[in-house]
Amino acid sequence: MFEQAGPAHDGVTGLGPGTAPWPAGRVACVASGRAGELAARVEDPSFVARCAARYAAVGFGVPGEAEVRSWRNSWPPVLRALVRAGLSDVWVYLEYGTPGGGRRLDALVVGAAPGGALGLVVVELKQWQACRVLDTERVLRADGVVTTHPVFQVAAYRGFFEHWRPESAPELDVRAVVLLHNATVEEAAVLRAGAGAVADIPVLSGADLAAPAKDLAGLLRCQDLSAPDPTDVRAFEEIRWEPSARLLDHVGTVLEGHSAFALTSSCTVGGGTSSPGWSIMAGWWGTRLVQ
């Protein structure tokens, strides 16, 4: 279990020397902190063990061996890349759970964007390499498994932040990137070419992570992000997510004539609350909102 830190570690200000990675109290995640601080600890076995304990504590279940192995293999490359790109002070959540438990994001980067907005970068991490694109929503992996196209997947995650931000919340500039850290440039290009309507989301290979430091921030969609201050991070974590009018109208059209469903704009989540409306919507947005 993660340690309860003192006042200097209020869930926003980051890690201190010799402390456990502090999981944000307002969001479900296995760890959060400045990219440089997490990068310094990510290959420590005790770090991964604490993340596994936190995974269960926040209600994600018990992580399997494959899940934990994916953390060991995928977290170091993305954290090292952020540090090498000069982004040591952006805030990173590992295994960020969307409110209501609808989805888990491999990594979420939060930084200060130009104009006072908060910049979010949703990062989808994949260990696999070769695949065949079946359509814009599905791929066939080399092991024979049919799975969601990672660009479509991360676009749906991006859609959550775009369509559930209440008007009272900070302005968000939401980006997304897929990182296939074991793939070659050619293997990543296959996915990039099959991305369809969400082709604005880059698919990076392991070779891309070796790009010159001056280019790396741009590849990661973080080129204009700077370190968020503690109040920025707190403001993000305290957002009470609710569906936008556009989203409600769209879902209402889809569900028209289905009397079992009733959605209202009062379906808010955050701060540990949820509603039946949220459960319906949380299951819906992840496979429909990609544009």
Side-chain angles (χ1 to χ4, degrees):
M1 187 72 67
F2 283 78
E3 299 169 2
Q4 295 294 322
H9 303 280
D10 59 1
V12 174
T13 52
L15 307 178
T19 67
W22 176 264
R26 303 168 188 84
V27 299
C29 63
V30 301
S32 68
R34 305 288 177 182
E37 296 168 329
L38 293 174
R41 298 179 62 87
V42 71
E43 297 188 73
D44 181 345
S46 67
F47 176 89
V48 175
R50 288 177 182 273
C51 288
R54 180 63 184 172
Y55 188 96
V58 298
F60 292 155
V62 178
E65 182 180 338
E67 180 82 27
V68 175
R69 183 169 59 249
S70 74
W71 298 346
R72 293 194 182 101
N73 293 337
S74 297
W75 288 348
V78 68
L79 291 170
R80 285 196 299 263
L82 288 168
V83 171
R84 198 165 67 82
L87 297 162
S88 293
D89 290 330
V90 296
W91 196 266
V92 178
Y93 298 93
L94 298 175
E95 293 290 321
Y96 174 93
T98 57
R103 295 291 186 274
R104 278 187 293 106
L105 284 54
D106 292 335
L108 179 67
V109 177
V110 179
L118 283 180
L120 307 185
V121 183
V122 182
V123 183
E124 180 65 22
L125 301 169
K126 298 295 185 188
Q127 297 182 84
W128 39 272
Q129 298 168 253
C131 68
R132 179 163 64 89
V133 176
L134 301 178
D135 51 45
T136 57
E137 298 182 15
R138 301 175 304 143
V139 299
L140 175 64
R141 296 190 330 210
D143 59 4
V145 174
V146 175
T147 189
T148 305
H149 193 304
V151 173
F152 179 85
Q153 182 179 1
V154 79
Y157 299 161
R158 179 179 66 178
F160 168 80
F161 295 110
E162 293 175 336
H163 296 286
W164 284 74
R165 186 190 72 84
E167 291 184 6
S168 60
E171 193 69 31
L172 302 179
D173 180 352
V174 191
R175 306 101 182 259
V177 62
V178 175
L179 176 53
L180 277 65
H181 54 87
N182 289 331
T184 65
V185 171
E186 293 75 19
E187 288 165 339
V190 171
L191 283 175
R192 196 176 301 120
V198 286
D200 63 309
I201 296 175
V203 179
L204 304 184
S205 67
D208 290 316
L209 295 186
K214 63 182 178 61
D215 300 326
L216 195 50
L219 291 172
L220 294 168
R221 303 298 308 276
C222 297
Q223 66 276 7
D224 56 352
L225 298 187
S226 57
D229 63 37
T231 58
D232 290 330
V233 179
R234 181 177 284 110
F236 170 70
E237 293 183 352
E238 291 180 343
I239 293 174
R240 294 180 61 84
W241 304 95
E242 60 185 32
S244 65
R246 173 177 173 263
L247 179 57
L248 284 171
D249 288 344
H250 190 91
V251 177
T253 300
V254 172
L255 299 182
E256 188 174 0
H258 293 265
S259 59
F261 300 105
L263 299 174
T264 72
S265 59
S266 63
C267 298
T268 61
V269 291
T273 64
S274 61
S275 70
W278 158 255
S279 299
I280 296 169
M281 297 286 285
W284 183 87
W285 72 264
T287 55
R288 294 293 182 270
L289 268 182
V290 297
Q291 295 184 29

